[in-house]
């Protein structure tokens, strides 16, 4: 029995995606229109641009959904795409526009391309392709199958080389947020490869210990010393704000302190959609990095919690697809996408709440940023394709659906 994929669309993933995307358009208008009017611009300018990217995202979802997963599994295909993205990263590093002290944007007329955003989903895709092809070796040799029993890579085709080069270029922009996400994504994908859980726990412990050591060292030597390191001056300000945002309200602590004010203003039920005080020139990046602070201010703790709950529901549905998938590549790809969304949400909320240093990472679907929306939509398309392909194969073979 041959079944068309269009009848197997997972609406428990697609509908939350639609709702969050539409909410994102509303939030983008709310956080940008007032400043646009004050500067004499079009109050709908930002939301129109975001809308164009959303339409492109829907087209991308339709195209990727129709693809055969055998094409996505091809390591030559994903390796080529990864090489292109890294090349674009290098171009943006040396010739791209500088925004907030960091490079990473390639300007294309009125639009801008941020390769680091695309690198995240491509890295999940790449590692899923590589690790799924080594399942027999992993089953017999555990972690050593991933390293070919060598501490140092012997070939440029080694996945560790790809990860280190990618991380190095992103860190040199400098882009602390995406470098952090890439590191955590690599840890997630390695843990999903089938190796023993002790390697995951050891790696996670090492990352936590290293992060604590770095923060402790910066605290002891002083942020001013870190600020003298080339390229990392603006990152030093973020660390300064993390340690005490109210110590320098006019400079390094300005964003985080006003983020606290915004969340405090929101209380339980918020000031009302469009009625934020902090977005009117008080909180920089209110439409991108700190957009969830404005959401809390306007919709309150209750409204923001409902949005966060919907996002977590989407993530759980994506993780469920990965957990129930029978094919190793499908399982790693879907679970990796869930890990990407969860990691990005954690890093953003951690930054705006002061749990971790602010890293300039956008909030999924709600922040202004066409690149971010397009990347997350591609990730959703991968999961929808995986889910439909797994169901189609099960039905055609007469097996029970998961």
């Amino acid at each position: 029995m041959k079944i068309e994929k269009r009848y197997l669309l997972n609406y428990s993933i697609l509908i939350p995606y639609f709702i969050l995307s539409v909410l994102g358009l509303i939030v983008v208008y709310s956080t940008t229109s007032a400043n646009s009017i004050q500067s004499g611009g079009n109050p709908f300018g930002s939301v129109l641009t975001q809308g164009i990217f959303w339409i492109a995202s829907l087209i991308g979802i339709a195209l990727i959904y129709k693809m055969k997963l055998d094409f996505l599994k091809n390591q030559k295909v994903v390796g080529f795409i990864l090489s292109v993205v890294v090349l674009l990263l290098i171009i943006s590093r040396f010739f791209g526009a500088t925004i907030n002290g960091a490079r990473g944007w390639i300007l294309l007329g009125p639009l801008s391309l941020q390769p680091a955003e695309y690198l995240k989903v491509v890295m999940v895709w790449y590692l899923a392709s590589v690790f799924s092809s080594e399942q027999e070796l992993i089953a017999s040799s555990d972690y050593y199958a991933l390293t070919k029993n060598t501490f140092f890579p012997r070939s440029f085709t080694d996945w560790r080389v790809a990860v280190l080069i990618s991380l190095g270029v992103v860190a040199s922009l400098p882009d602390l947020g995406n470098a952090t996400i890439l590191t955590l994504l690599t840890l997630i994908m390695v843990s999903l490869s089938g190796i023993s859980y002790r390697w995951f726990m050891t790696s996670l412990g090492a990352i936590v210990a290293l992060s604590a050591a770095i923060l402790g060292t910066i605290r002891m030597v002083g942020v001013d010393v870190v600020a003298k390191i080339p390229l990392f001056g603006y990152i030093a300000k973020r660390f300064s704000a993390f340690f005490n945002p109210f110590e320098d309200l006019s400079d390094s602590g300005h964003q985080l302190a006003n983020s606290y004010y915004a969340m405090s203003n929101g209380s339980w039920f918020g000031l009302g959609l469009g009625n934020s005080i902090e977005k009117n020139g008080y909180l920089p990046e209110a439409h991108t990095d700190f957009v969830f602070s404005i959401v809390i201010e306007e919709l309150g703790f209750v409204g923001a919690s409902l949005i966060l709950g919907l996002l977590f529901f989407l993530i759980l549905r994506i993780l469920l697809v990965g957990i129930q998938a029978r094919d190793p590549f499908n399982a790693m790809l879907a679970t990796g996408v869930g890990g990407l969304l969860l990691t990005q949400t954690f890093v953003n909320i951690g930054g705006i709440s002061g749990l971790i240093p602010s890293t300039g990472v956008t909030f999924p679907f709600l922040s202004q940023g066409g690149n971010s929306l397009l990347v997350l939509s591609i990730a959703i398309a991968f999961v929808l394709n995986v889910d439909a392909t797994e169901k189609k194969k099960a039905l055609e073979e007469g097996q029970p659906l998961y």
Side-chain angles (χ1 to χ4, degrees):
M1 179 177 63
K2 188 173 180 61
I3 301 173
E4 296 292 334
K5 283 174 66 175
R6 65 175 181 270
Y7 298 119
L8 301 173
L9 196 58
N10 191 329
Y11 290 99
S12 68
I13 291 175
L14 187 62
I15 291 175
Y17 162 78
F18 263 92
I19 295 173
L20 288 168
S21 300
V22 172
L23 283 173
L25 295 175
I26 296 171
V27 170
V28 167
Y29 175 76
S30 175
T31 53
T32 60
S33 57
N35 288 333
S36 296
I37 292 173
Q38 291 175 6
S39 60
N42 181 359
F44 294 97
S46 295
V47 73
L48 287 174
T49 301
Q50 190 84 349
I52 291 172
F53 272 97
W54 188 45
I55 292 172
S57 297
L58 295 178
I59 295 172
I61 288 175
L63 293 175
I64 293 173
Y65 184 72
K66 292 181 178 180
M67 285 184 181
K68 292 186 177 180
L69 284 179
D70 288 339
F71 174 77
L72 296 178
K73 288 182 185 178
N74 192 312
Q75 289 188 34
K76 291 183 179 179
V77 172
V78 66
F80 172 75
I81 293 175
L82 178 62
S83 300
V84 171
V85 173
V86 172
L87 178 61
L88 290 174
L89 266 173
I90 295 172
I91 292 173
S92 69
R93 167 64 183 85
F94 293 102
F95 305 104
T98 301
I99 300 177
N100 294 331
R103 292 184 180 272
W105 288 263
I106 299 175
L107 299 182
L108 302 171
L111 303 177
S112 63
L113 178 68
Q114 189 179 5
E117 287 289 337
Y118 297 88
L119 180 61
K120 293 181 292 189
V121 70
V122 172
M123 186 59 71
V124 170
W125 177 15
Y126 168 74
L127 292 178
S129 176
V130 171
F131 295 159
S132 63
S133 67
E134 301 287 350
Q135 289 301 290
E136 291 185 5
L137 282 174
I138 292 172
S140 60
S141 303
D142 200 20
Y143 175 75
Y144 301 103
L146 299 183
T147 62
K148 308 297 183 184
N149 292 317
T150 62
F151 185 78
F152 294 105
R154 295 178 179 176
S155 169
F156 283 106
T157 59
D158 193 298
W159 64 270
R160 291 171 293 175
V161 174
V163 170
L164 289 174
I165 291 175
S166 302
L167 275 174
V169 177
V170 172
S172 71
L173 294 175
D175 187 342
L176 178 63
N178 282 319
T180 300
I181 291 176
L182 282 171
T183 301
L184 294 175
L185 280 178
T186 301
L187 175 62
I188 290 171
M189 296 306 295
V190 169
S191 68
L192 293 173
S193 66
I195 64 171
S196 173
Y197 74 92
R198 67 178 185 272
W199 292 105
F200 170 77
M201 298 305 296
T202 301
S203 301
L204 180 61
I207 290 175
V208 172
L210 180 61
S211 300
I214 291 173
L215 286 173
T217 301
I218 293 173
R219 187 64 183 268
M220 286 189 297
V221 303
V223 175
D224 293 339
V225 175
V226 179
K228 295 178 182 178
I229 301 175
L231 298 177
F232 287 89
Y234 95 103
I235 291 180
K237 289 186 177 182
R238 294 179 185 268
F239 280 112
S240 177
F242 170 69
F243 293 132
N244 188 356
F246 297 98
E247 187 175 8
D248 187 5
L249 290 175
S250 63
D251 190 13
S252 62
H254 183 71
Q255 275 191 317
L256 188 55
N258 280 280
S259 174
Y260 290 160
Y261 295 150
M263 291 186 282
S264 177
N265 291 340
S267 189
W268 285 101
F269 299 102
L271 302 178
L273 186 64
N275 294 329
S276 165
I277 299 170
E278 293 297 323
K279 71 182 181 184
N280 296 316
Y282 297 101
L283 178 59
E285 312 303 329
H287 55 297
T288 54
D289 308 354
F290 286 84
V291 72
F292 204 67
S293 300
I294 303 302
V295 170
I296 296 174
E297 185 180 19
E298 294 189 345
L299 302 181
F301 177 78
V302 173
S305 295
L306 290 174
I307 293 175
L308 202 57
L310 181 61
L311 178 58
F312 282 141
F313 173 79
L314 173 63
I315 293 171
L316 287 173
R317 293 300 304 179
I318 290 171
L319 291 175
L320 188 62
V321 170
I323 292 170
Q324 295 177 330
R326 298 176 177 89
D327 183 89
F329 172 78
N330 296 350
M332 291 182 207
L333 182 61
T335 311
V337 167
L340 168 59
L341 280 167
L342 189 62
T343 301
Q344 185 160 328
T345 303
F346 166 76
V347 172
N348 178 272
I349 292 181
I352 68 171
S353 62
L355 292 175
I356 61 175
S358 176
T359 56
V361 170
T362 56
F363 189 88
F365 302 110
L366 299 190
S367 293
Q368 180 191 356
N371 290 282
S372 178
L373 178 59
L374 184 56
V375 166
L376 294 177
S377 299
I378 291 171
I380 294 294
F382 283 158
V383 178
L384 290 173
N385 194 338
V386 165
D387 182 68
T389 301
E390 287 281 337
K391 289 178 179 176
K392 184 174 185 292
K393 184 177 179 180
L395 288 171
E396 289 177 348
E397 294 178 353
Q399 298 177 359
L401 288 177
Y402 49 77

